[in-house]
Amino acid sequence: MPLTTNPFEDDKFHEECGVIGIWNHQDAAALTALGLHALQHRGQEASGIVSLSAGASFHIHRGLGLVGDIFGDAKVMAGLPGRAAVGHNRYATTGETALRNVQPLYADFEFGGFAVGHNGNLTNAMMLRRALVKRGCLFQSSTDSEVFIHLIAISLYANVQDRLIDALKQVEGAYSVVALHNGALMGARDPLGVRPLVLGKLENAAGGDGWILASETCALDIVGAEFVRDIEPGELVVINDDGVTSVRPFERQRERFCIFEYIYFARPDSIMEGIGVYETRKRIGAELARESNVDADVVVPVPDSGVPAAMGYAAEAKIPFELGIIRNHYVGRTFIEPTDQIRHLGVKLKHSANRAMIEGKRVILVDDSIVRGTTSKKIVEMVRQAGAAEVHMRISSPPTTHSCFYGIDTPSRRQLLAAQHDVQEMAKLIGVDSLAFISLDGLYRALGHARRDNANPQFCDACFTGDYSIPLTDWPQEQAALAAEMAVGK
Amino acid sequence: MPLTTNPFEDDKFHEECGVIGIWNHQDAAALTALGLHALQHRGQEASGIVSLSAGASFHIHRGLGLVGDIFGDAKVMAGLPGRAAVGHNRYATTGETALRNVQPLYADFEFGGFAVGHNGNLTNAMMLRRALVKRGCLFQSSTDSEVFIHLIAISLYANVQDRLIDALKQVEGAYSVVALHNGALMGARDPLGVRPLVLGKLENAAGGDGWILASETCALDIVGAEFVRDIEPGELVVINDDGVTSVRPFERQRERFCIFEYIYFARPDSIMEGIGVYETRKRIGAELARESNVDADVVVPVPDSGVPAAMGYAAEAKIPFELGIIRNHYVGRTFIEPTDQIRHLGVKLKHSANRAMIEGKRVILVDDSIVRGTTSKKIVEMVRQAGAAEVHMRISSPPTTHSCFYGIDTPSRRQLLAAQHDVQEMAKLIGVDSLAFISLDGLYRALGHARRDNANPQFCDACFTGDYSIPLTDWPQEQAALAAEMAVGK
Amino acid sequence: MPLTTNPFEDDKFHEECGVIGIWNHQDAAALTALGLHALQHRGQEASGIVSLSAGASFHIHRGLGLVGDIFGDAKVMAGLPGRAAVGHNRYATTGETALRNVQPLYADFEFGGFAVGHNGNLTNAMMLRRALVKRGCLFQSSTDSEVFIHLIAISLYANVQDRLIDALKQVEGAYSVVALHNGALMGARDPLGVRPLVLGKLENAAGGDGWILASETCALDIVGAEFVRDIEPGELVVINDDGVTSVRPFERQRERFCIFEYIYFARPDSIMEGIGVYETRKRIGAELARESNVDADVVVPVPDSGVPAAMGYAAEAKIPFELGIIRNHYVGRTFIEPTDQIRHLGVKLKHSANRAMIEGKRVILVDDSIVRGTTSKKIVEMVRQAGAAEVHMRISSPPTTHSCFYGIDTPSRRQLLAAQHDVQEMAKLIGVDSLAFISLDGLYRALGHARRDNANPQFCDACFTGDYSIPLTDWPQEQAALAAEMAVGK
Amino acid sequence: MPLTTNPFEDDKFHEECGVIGIWNHQDAAALTALGLHALQHRGQEASGIVSLSAGASFHIHRGLGLVGDIFGDAKVMAGLPGRAAVGHNRYATTGETALRNVQPLYADFEFGGFAVGHNGNLTNAMMLRRALVKRGCLFQSSTDSEVFIHLIAISLYANVQDRLIDALKQVEGAYSVVALHNGALMGARDPLGVRPLVLGKLENAAGGDGWILASETCALDIVGAEFVRDIEPGELVVINDDGVTSVRPFERQRERFCIFEYIYFARPDSIMEGIGVYETRKRIGAELARESNVDADVVVPVPDSGVPAAMGYAAEAKIPFELGIIRNHYVGRTFIEPTDQIRHLGVKLKHSANRAMIEGKRVILVDDSIVRGTTSKKIVEMVRQAGAAEVHMRISSPPTTHSCFYGIDTPSRRQLLAAQHDVQEMAKLIGVDSLAFISLDGLYRALGHARRDNANPQFCDACFTGDYSIPLTDWPQEQAALAAEMAVGK
């Protein structure tokens, strides 16, 4: 497996979505836009808002690009009146299909308008879709969310809440959903609580409580909302002018929140399931230093995501922390097309070495993960060109050996470096003097557990373990292969 | 003076330009584009490249926007052939005029094509312009650089180098210039060396030395060039296929390099006049801690520019350094228009408090400068809302009491908070428990001097002292007012 | 009813759509684009093409604007491979909804992909839609065509042709439909044949017959196809590699082709139901002269649509035909916004008087219709300002007293001048010395009939008579009002 | 010389510019925009307006595209305040250079702002330019107009009017100029009056006379101005609040107005030098019929420019006039890229045959000119494919054997069909049964002269005769070749 040196690739897992909902606020759409801005890291390709104004009128604006570009125009915002709204950020997809897939999806039902946005992935969406098409349902998009909508449309229950529950009971997967109809804002998390969703309270000029649902607490902070609580796994909350009602369509199960949210996805200032992301990352760095420190002159984070772990590492290892790599903030989506001549210069458009902090030094690079290894290889080359005496890499996650089917954009296992090579081979391919990953138990310790409870794991960590807590119904081959692998593993 | 809370303002001085020139490289325009990308922090509004191909043909492409957007298209780059090029990044200006003002400027002279880009400001440009217009010269732009071009056009000297010298001798100001004609790439710095310009050497597939001139060393790094030396104050370098020739049109004077480049403008990985920017900022932070530390729980930088000073401060003060403020990387030029309703929420689109690091703590905020004070006030409010027990602000520059006339975009003195208020008043207006700036001598110490040599200051520090080393010919009123002020001061 | 003088309004009925389908040609999408270009007069707001390539892959490109703008890019055309395609031009609609409504609509059915475009209007679409929504069908657009698609999707018949027939039998209205699935290109006209659809044969480089369906013969001409025949009222043609099969889902009825196609909608070089449009318009002009000539110096057409009728009129009346009004060809969709100051100048952006042909003359203006009367009033003013001694207006259609519900964009009856005023009042409002319309029987004579057969009218002429041949199921109030009016009329 | 069949080429000479100026009207810029719209046929690539408001402030807006697109935005118009303005339409040029070349040009002089637009061509512009560059003048555009501006800038006369005269005396060529400075609107025509310029009077809400200068009377009509007179050859008019003053910098010469304006360039509703364009074209058609009629069934104009001549021809020849070719109005600048497959279909995107008028008939096609012959060939093919029994072509101008150097975009002589072939060969190449051009004397007769006065020709007809009335100073080779040819000719 050759490591390419395309200087533009961002070798990371990508969160696929962020969601938000507002109930009872005079600036519902504006707050939704602000919240989407705060959740921009969860999806940078497209955003949408559906607002609900008096007389059960729904208003939609969706577009491709960043939140600020799509909703930065006063005329656009004026077209989204009302006291309730739902919004959605999306990662990925191109072409004509793209705009059809931008959420929130909206449909006219018998009982009125209905808008829904979701973060995550339904693992039986394709199976359900085939059945729905057979029944005569027409699909306009390729999103999982449309399955929800059709399930609600054909449900025989009389009211929208019962129909939503009917739909939730038929889908499998990892998801957080926000939905809006004339009577209520609703939010739900999957039974295992893999994807996040939080509830906050808004002050409201007009009196009465305003409410907010969002993927992360940072969206509450930007609009000045007070954090109330995480939505619980398998919980459906129904928010209307009588307040917040909790409905539990599912039996309680042990939660398995996505552990990668702490490592990379979530914004450092968010609090997830009661645990601060920034401090967690520092603790992971400290654990990493305890497990696998090496004698060196300087600890350098790979910016920006590696910074807190590097700080924790440096403090624990008592090695100076220095910003030995500078990130160029002006790298946008469009960029200088890499010609062959330029590519061979090994040019770094996103990062540059701070030579004065590197030259002649033994450097420990701290990063959060290695996916394909392509970016890591380039950064190591750059650090060596800047004169590093030694380059050691420390990773604040265990090796990512498995793909995610629960709402994260990941390459296939063939492309995952850690699925194809052991750590020693990886070190050689990346070109470092040493390479170490935090252990699985080390990661759990940083999250406040003595160790991973292998019988009942506290988190979803399938990308490190292959331990998929939700059936991969739509991927029978992968499911079979994993079962075989697990059998061997045991 | 009311402090407004417009959440979008960036309360900083702004560098007005970056320049680059390439001689003898098969990818001259591509390297120029990459260098402009590395210099993007010196000007984000517009960029241009003029390349020179065989047969003395010049090719121009200029546009408004970021380097990546303007030069990211292979077709655009294909339209810029040749082995030599000059490029320019520009801050500011809008409308039809805007494109006319984008540099490099190009003109057809009697002796052939000529392109010039400059960083800085001519302090007698208006006076010269009036004289040139009277003589029948037609100005197409409002840039200082056009004065250069006309002076060269009407010069009676026979060759272009002598004409350029003729022009340089007539202008006053702070500038670094790169110019390209069929026979040579030229670069010059003003006699005091206020603005930076460095020389580097490029490897060249075709053999023979390639050369690069650029505002900062970070542009050399991105193209893999070897740093040769700073162009000296008052030096003109002429680069052709015989190598680099140094010409000295001016008598030697004591250099007065812009001290603010170290504090804020330059990229942290650049080396200026032999001094690394990143370490300097850390040393300034350490000096600041020695001069004015206060008992506290945490040192928090105002990102991104305050980070190195805060690291230096924290290390010296032995107070934990924490990323207590998170910067949103997705803030672009266009953004959600601030409605009144949203503005009163005190929304922070660029920064958010990392509550877990702030709540209940005594916080020392470290920033590099206070210009109008508007952003500082908002950040303090945000930190207080996140529950800080105390908020102390430490600034890694002396109070900015005077405007810059040497190429930096600064507000008038009326808008400079430090020009209107003493430190105690400023603390009150900004809302901090204490406020301190580094002393002028402290700043000089961090730069390796025992103190400021008031008789012959080692740097240009007019923005802190009003000690303008180059006459303000075009601003006679300001010049008179300053003379009066200085007389009183003595 | 004040007559406004907005100089930008185009006071015409508007055809709402043009359709085209190609079967078995190596350049299917390119021919479709060319045909859409020839049919541009039937819809200028949006166009779309769906092509079908080997392996039952469908390819879609749709956009807002003119055909040339949407399909003028080689990359776009390269994305539409295959030997079959359907295309659609559309009039009207704006905003986010707009793109969703652009046809052809496409859906994934149980049996594979299916694309459909239609010209016309279903008069029970809303009723059907309500029933379908109740059943759980989700509508993504507001077009009638989506009703077709859902009816096909939920049909219980085993094959797509039977399902299409099932759908056709449930809808009422005036329509021509082209549809494409993996096995065939299909075309259908409503039982009364109100809207046009023709069949042509294409030469094919690869051998084998190629086929084309299109709204008008001018689309056959542009691609060099040979005219075969009109699709018959109530006929469904199924075109596959075995040739063209005719299916007749409906009992034969007497045809009632839209008479307005001859007067204004169709391109003059089209042949409809065996009758050439251009000559028909000349014959109508001649009839008009016979019925209502007046002594005058010059016959002037209102360009461009009034030209053939004016030629026929002038020849019959033996009065010179002159281009006394010049049309500005550069009037696009976007134009100089009419400020109040300019509006009061009575400025004519689309037309200008050819003063030399007008001044001092008695002028007969020939136009094809008067809808609101606004444009007519302005043109008369302009002609008077140019010095006409007398202005007489002759109209090559009877007074348009009723709205069209069969696929033509018409204002409500309140806005139809002829529905609110008698001819004498109209003459006064428009400002002419005399005004005359062709009689209904005169119009029928020009079309080759002795007179209108009131028992079994040969054409649909509801806009002149209120004799609506297809029930207005979705407009019960209008239906009732018309019934009352008819009762009175008798 | 192969005749290509690119379906997109427009085989016509192209007028290169239209100019307009307004003095003393509250809507000066809006009237200018309307006038430019009426003059759109004289230049469709770019337009600009410079307005002058109180306090001698000048406002500029220029853009690429149609007038309606550039000035259709109320914000744009609001940015052009004031009671005086000049405007310009331009044909041709692309790329970055394009916008620099859009007129009116504007410059800041010692005495204030100055804007100038011109229609035509200076035949010694390159010579003057070289001299000006040598003197130190910097050129920013490649337009002739910039020569004017520099000549004015360096003139030693004290006032702007004398400077303009000084400049006019140094230039040679065919031109109409409008210029605006703080004290006056000025207009001038070259000494031979080759290019047109007319004066009109505007009513003015505020009282006092308003004035308009424009290339054609159609621009007066659109704004409701009263025609006053043509500016005379060699006349300079100075319009200020005291009225219109005529200045005569040049000795009187015999006028030689461009004869092609009557044949093709001017709008049919314009009156030029007292002669109506539309009637002239009809008279030319009648002369043509008298000279070279042939037995036929139908006279068909090549739309749109051939229509009046065809009407005149048909009336004289007593053969029916029919619209046998339909022009597609939706052909814009961007269009379906001609692929090879489509090109071989001989597709006609701009024109289509009206088969019913053509089939089986002997057709006389009337067009205004043949330049390269490419379009003529295609049209003949199309008419033959539509079933014409015979095709005869009659051209309402003499053969165009020479290029224009006086402001018209023409191909080089190598590409002029009539410069390379005699009429019989041309007929064969174009594929017609017969071909005839109007004789030179026939053309002069249609313009009211007994014949061409070869000693003192009444018009500039160099494109037909090679009799260039103004020296071709910048084209010495062409001048010499023509002299040789003329010598032989005699």
Side-chain angles (χ1 to χ4, degrees), chain D residues 5-8 348 374-382:
Chain D
T5 57
N6 181 328
F8 306 98
K348 314 300 173 311
T374 48
T375 297
S376 305
K377 185 174 188 289
K378 284 186 318 173
I379 283 176
V380 171
E381 277 173 12
M382 180 181 74

Side-chain angles (χ1 to χ4, degrees), chain D residues 288-296 299 313 317-319 364 394:
Chain D
L288 187 55
R290 278 191 286 275
E291 289 185 358
S292 61
N293 192 29
V294 64
D295 202 24
V299 172
Y313 188 108
K318 300 200 179 359
I319 300 173
I364 297 174
R394 293 298 176 267

Side-chain angles (χ1 to χ4, degrees), chain C residues 219-233:
Chain C
L220 274 53
D221 292 340
I222 201 172
V223 302
E226 180 195 345
F227 173 75
V228 175
R229 64 176 177 88
D230 292 279
I231 303 304
E232 291 177 27

